[in-house]
Amino acid sequence: MDDNDRSVVGVVMLSHALVHTYELTIPIFMVVWLVEFSATEALLGVVVAVGYALFGIGALPSGVISDKYGSQNLIAVCLVGMGLSFIILSFATNILMIAVAVCLWGAAASIYHPAGLSLISTAVKDSGSGFAYHGMAGNAGIALGPLCSVVLLWFTDWRAVSLVLAIPAFFAVVYILRADIDEMAAANLASDGSGGTGGPADAPSSPSFFESSKSLFLGGFALVFLVIVFNGLYYRGILTFLPELLADFVTIGGLEDGAGAEQFDGSDFIYVGILMVGILGQYVGGKATDRIPVERGLVAGYACLVVIALLYVPAAESGLIFLVFVSLLLGFCLFALQPMYQVAVAEYSPTDSRGLSYGYTYLAQFGVGAMGAAIVGIILTYSVVASVFFALAAFAVVASAFSVRLLMKR
């Protein structure tokens, strides 16, 4: 990697880690909000689902804006918005303020993935390594961000934790704006063999948004999109309320002292463990795509998620060891599927629509998939916990069925 590659990779790694730190800290806070604001799971699930939906819905317009104006400044805007959202959250005194803060976070965070992935693809000459480091940073944020939140809750309340978490976003903005980046270095090198500078305006013209979208959905990408929709429903449905579900299932030596004692449950560490083992799942899933047809991996992965969902309540009733085992298996399988469906997107989309295809991917995963949080919240409010896992199993069954159809098309 040259200096420009390293600058870009540093920017996207830092930004990607922060996006997922904030994303998966929200479920940690939800356990507290349910008690402090006397909210039902249905109400809070809908509130958070709207914010998470904006995280996905904003991906398409963000991709278009990134193509027109460039990525570096957009990523800075993303980080400012996320930092401000967590500052607002720290002052929340009711569910309405939480809704405003979470929605601001979702809108701001939606900017990142199209801008960040586009920046890697056009600026980093060694793009394979760039994407690898980018993914590793995201995994670190997924696992270590919630861990930091849980640890901080030993010493203070959730509002102070939210304020502390906002600070890194503003330091990151200063770093990103000071970074000397040629956003089109790799694209220009590929087109004319030189390392000349350029910007978004230098990119070749491409089919219109509607022409490219029509081309995508008339092919196999339509099935991939449906797989990712149901993956998103499972992902968001399980991860949003899992801290609360685990708290109901088991308490691990609760705190006796500390400002956060009354709102902290040691079962959060199981949740963090699920996210950490997901790093291994991402690695194994990525390696598997080099050895087996990706469709076969998707079929097997979703079949495993069906079994895990059906085993979860019996595991909780069987004791801590079995619960931890099934929880870690959940984290492994859930995150192992991510590189698989990302490869499937590439295999079922044309090169000149690759950016748009990933925009639709995040719309499916985080936009439509956000309904999973609302669905699970409503089920928890009006039915029994076992019904949640039956619904999750149904999502995985449908995703597996669409994966089978993809395998047959191959």
Side-chain angles (χ1 to χ4, degrees), residues 10-42:
V11 165
V12 297
M13 286 182 69
L14 178 59
S15 305
H16 198 202
L18 286 173
V19 166
H20 289 296
T21 291
Y22 297 132
E23 176 201 1
L24 289 168
T25 294
I26 291 172
I28 297 289
F29 288 161
M30 285 179 67
V31 179
V32 185
W33 296 339
L34 285 166
V35 176
E36 182 164 334
F37 298 109
S38 300
T40 64
E41 290 90 347

Side-chain angles (χ1 to χ4, degrees), residues 329-343:
L329 190 61
L330 167 67
F332 179 87
C333 293
L334 190 62
F335 287 96
L337 283 161
Q338 288 191 5
M340 292 183 184
Y341 71 65
Q342 288 170 351
V343 170

